[in-house]
Amino acid sequence: MIKQNKVFLVWPEQLDGRKQLTKFYYDYISCFEPETNLNIILKDISIEGKVFEQIASRNQLINTVFHHIPEVMDIWIRDWALLPVKTDKGVILLKAKYRPAYIKEKGSRYYEGDDRAGRRLAGLLEMPIVDFPLVWDLGNFTHNGEGTGIVTERILSDNPQYNEEEIKELFLKHIGITQLLIIPEEPGDVTGHVDGTLMFTGSDHLVLAQYPDDHIKENIFLNKLEQKIREKIKGELKITRILNGPVIDKYSEGVGSARGNHINYFSTGEDFYFPCYGIKEDSIAKESFKAAINGMNIIEVNTPEINRLADKGGVLHCMTWGL
């Protein structure tokens, strides 16, 4: 995996339907480790001074810079940003086409704006950009840094012009993924992403969701998924199950709430930012997660405001990008 030393957030205050998340962003930033290089993307640069002062009042030990990207439409930077890929000529940024099926046609200005924002971000970073010829959200990808990656079957339905083997060839050619496992989508997740279900925490370790015992159908799916992963992925692999909270039957903009999801963490270097919701499952999940990251640093993001974010359908991994 590429060690990331820059953290990127899209500031919510100027975006449609996102202003109420501003306090969560301040709470999240207050958790950042000293010397974090925080990059804030603003739709309108006019509030830079105000935001800088507020961040500094909460965390004086981080470095903050601002970028102006007027095209940006939403906070979910993980999905529309770029994938850093190591090559023999250095790191390049791979840009897939952002056009998620769960954003309906009437919302085309949102995905078109964010698709352009991803390209603008590469330009601001002055890094080479390479087009990846697939419709793809990067929330639908986890990899171990050594050639093994996992996506859901959404990659197939979003790209009917390619068959499975052709898609695997593209992942090999552009990303160096020698072993791509394509798994079923978790039932009820309209995004078709993997980052609410499972994530690699290292080269040979995977965390996989578990639900409370009364969620029988959900756990049957996840148990079968664990069995399939063990059968399909070659080489030694440890799988740790991480307890989520109960499923919340609440939707926003057609996407189900992610409240209680403990898989959707953000990591940078050896720091793992772990979402907590004020529920009993938090402490159980945290202890299991500690064992899965083998002595690395776990930082609880524990604020009631995280539930506002989660009810929009995503948590820390969805709204944070690292480089």
Side-chain angles (χ1 to χ4, degrees):
M1 297 180 180
I2 295 175
K3 185 175 181 180
Q4 300 170 337
N5 57 26
K6 294 181 180 179
V7 176
F8 290 77
L9 300 173
V10 178
W11 200 249
E13 191 172 346
Q14 301 164 317
L15 304 177
D16 291 347
R18 302 291 181 249
K19 186 175 182 179
Q20 71 272 31
L21 301 177
T22 303
K23 186 177 187 308
F24 168 72
Y25 274 65
Y26 286 131
D27 290 349
Y28 182 30
I29 290 167
S30 71
C31 299
F32 285 1
E33 289 290 275
E35 305 304 319
T36 296
N37 293 308
L38 174 62
N39 292 255
I40 297 288
I41 295 172
L42 296 174
K43 187 175 182 69
D44 184 337
I45 205 71
S46 64
I47 64 171
E48 177 180 329
K50 179 189 75 171
V51 175
F52 180 81
E53 288 179 4
Q54 291 292 325
I55 290 173
S57 72
R58 289 164 170 81
N59 193 335
Q60 298 180 357
L61 301 178
I62 62 174
N63 308 308
T64 306
V65 298
F66 292 85
H67 306 281
H68 180 211
I69 301 182
E71 295 91 343
V72 70
M73 297 298 292
D74 213 342
I75 61 172
W76 310 117
I77 186 172
R78 174 71 54 178
D79 292 332
W80 54 257
L82 309 105
L83 181 69
V85 178
K86 282 184 180 178
T87 73
D88 54 6
K89 296 180 181 178
V91 177
I92 61 97
L93 298 175
L94 198 69
K95 180 68 180 74
K97 185 175 181 179
Y98 180 64
R99 189 167 183 171
Y102 52 89
I103 298 181
K104 304 305 179 186
E105 195 61 37
K106 65 180 182 180
S108 62
R109 68 187 183 96
Y110 286 92
Y111 60 68
E112 289 168 356
D114 283 338
D115 194 50
R116 291 193 296 270
R119 294 187 178 277
R120 175 69 72 95
L121 179 58
L124 291 172
L125 296 172
E126 298 182 337
M127 295 179 68
I129 183 172
V130 174
D131 285 324
F132 190 57
L134 294 178
V135 173
W136 185 31
D137 309 344
L138 292 188
N140 187 22
F141 185 53
T142 184
H143 68 102
N144 71 347
E146 296 187 0
T148 298
I150 302 177
V151 296
T152 74
E153 292 170 352
R154 184 63 57 93
I155 199 80
L156 302 175
S157 59
D158 277 348
N159 298 280
Q161 70 275 33
Y162 294 102
N163 62 37
E164 184 171 331
E165 289 307 310
E166 289 170 333
I167 286 173
K168 289 180 177 180
E169 283 297 319
L170 288 170
F171 273 80
L172 175 61
K173 176 183 175 182
H174 289 272
I175 311 174
I177 297 296
T178 56
Q179 184 179 198
L180 182 69
L181 180 60
I182 302 177
I183 63 172
E185 299 172 24
E186 185 171 351
D189 181 3
V190 301
T191 69
H193 293 172
V194 297
D195 63 355
T197 305
L198 55 84
M199 295 265 277
F200 278 105
T201 61
S203 61
D204 64 350
H205 209 137
L206 192 74
V207 290
L208 175 64
Q210 181 82 23
Y211 289 99
D213 290 343
D214 59 345
H215 287 56
I216 295 171
K217 289 191 295 185
E218 291 86 350
N219 285 327
I220 288 173
F221 169 81
L222 292 166
N223 293 340
K224 288 181 178 178
L225 183 58
E226 178 179 357
Q227 182 179 358
K228 178 177 181 177
I229 291 169
R230 291 189 184 280
E231 290 172 354
K232 296 290 185 181
I233 289 187
K234 301 170 186 174
E236 187 174 334
L237 180 67
K238 302 171 189 173
I239 299 178
T240 298
R241 301 297 290 269
I242 304 295
L243 182 64
N244 284 340
V247 175
I248 304 296
D249 188 18
K250 185 175 184 179
Y251 286 79
S252 175
E253 299 163 15
V255 179
S257 173
R259 188 182 296 204
N261 189 295
H262 292 115
I263 298 294
N264 200 264
Y265 63 86
F266 172 69
S267 64
T268 176
E270 295 187 352
D271 297 326
F272 286 74
Y273 292 87
F274 188 75
C276 294
Y277 305 89
I279 57 177
K280 64 182 181 180
E281 290 83 4
D282 288 343
S283 58
I284 300 169
K286 182 185 172 185
E287 289 307 308
S288 301
F289 193 78
K290 273 185 180 178
I293 62 175
N294 194 27
M296 290 185 278
N297 190 27
I298 183 170
I299 302 147
E300 288 186 44
V301 180
N302 194 351
T303 165
E305 294 296 322
I306 198 172
N307 291 298
R308 288 181 181 267
L309 175 73
D311 283 345
K312 296 297 183 183
V315 203
L316 304 183
H317 190 259
C318 300
M319 48 83 74
T320 319
W321 184 64
L323 180 63

